[in-house]
């Protein structure tokens, strides 16, 4: 089992910044990729950014958000700048890797609310 603990959500005004964190623990031998997804009310969950050997971003957040990871802490971060009301959503952390027996494992975080007011 892999547990993910997210933190850093909240409410900010347009143009503000927030930093999300997600720490992974449990029976995971190696983390391959870490990612952030988000789901706004009435919409499907969408990929925001992911990172393995390189980072990729959705068009809607490129140049505003930065994903990074600390491999020693098994933690992924999402620095969100120049926030817009359309960034309002529940943000979910996702981790994919290998168990000690080298089987694939993945896990979702519980979600953290980000609200951007105009």
């Amino acid at each position: 089992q892999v547990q993910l603990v997210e933190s850093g959500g909240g409410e900010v005004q347009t143009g503000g910044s927030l930093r999300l964190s997600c720490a992974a623990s449990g029976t995971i031998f190696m983390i391959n990729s870490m990612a952030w997804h988000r789901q706004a009310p009435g919409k499907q969950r969408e990929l925001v950014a992911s990172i393995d050997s390189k980072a990729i971003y959705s068009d809607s957040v490129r140049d505003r958000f930065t994903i990074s990871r600390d491999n020693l802490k098994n933690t992924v971060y999402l620095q969100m700048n120049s926030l817009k009301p359309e960034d309002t959503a529940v943000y979910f952390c996702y981790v994919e890797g290998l168990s000690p027996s080298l089987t694939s494992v993945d896990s979702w975080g519980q979600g953290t609310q980000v609200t951007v007011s105009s």
Side-chain angles (χ1 to χ4, degrees):
Q1 293 288 346
V2 179
Q3 292 80 43
L4 302 178
V5 178
E6 302 164 350
S7 60
E11 182 170 358
V12 295
Q13 293 187 332
T14 297
S17 298
L18 284 173
R19 187 190 194 211
L20 306 182
S21 300
C22 173
S25 62
T27 54
I28 186 163
F29 171 68
M30 182 175 69
I31 295 176
N32 291 327
S33 66
M34 309 181 86
W36 289 96
H37 296 246
R38 68 186 181 187
Q39 187 166 19
K43 295 187 177 181
Q44 290 188 333
R45 190 173 297 189
E46 63 173 356
L47 175 67
V48 175
S50 67
I51 184 168
D52 43 33
S53 59
K54 62 180 180 180
I56 62 171
Y57 299 92
S58 70
D59 289 342
S60 62
V61 307
R62 189 175 293 114
D63 299 327
R64 299 188 297 122
F65 292 9
T66 302
I67 189 171
S68 61
R69 60 189 283 181
D70 184 332
N71 292 329
L72 292 179
K73 297 181 179 179
N74 284 345
T75 299
V76 63
Y77 306 95
L78 186 68
Q79 178 65 44
M80 304 184 294
N81 299 328
S82 302
L83 282 160
K84 305 175 181 179
E86 51 263 44
D87 295 318
T88 296
V90 178
Y91 284 70
F92 297 90
C93 174
Y94 174 77
V95 169
E96 180 271 328
L98 296 175
S99 71
S101 58
L102 303 183
T103 57
S104 295
V105 294
D106 65 355
S107 183
W108 288 93
Q110 79 283 2
T112 185
Q113 178 70 46
V114 171
T115 302
V116 185
S117 57
S118 57

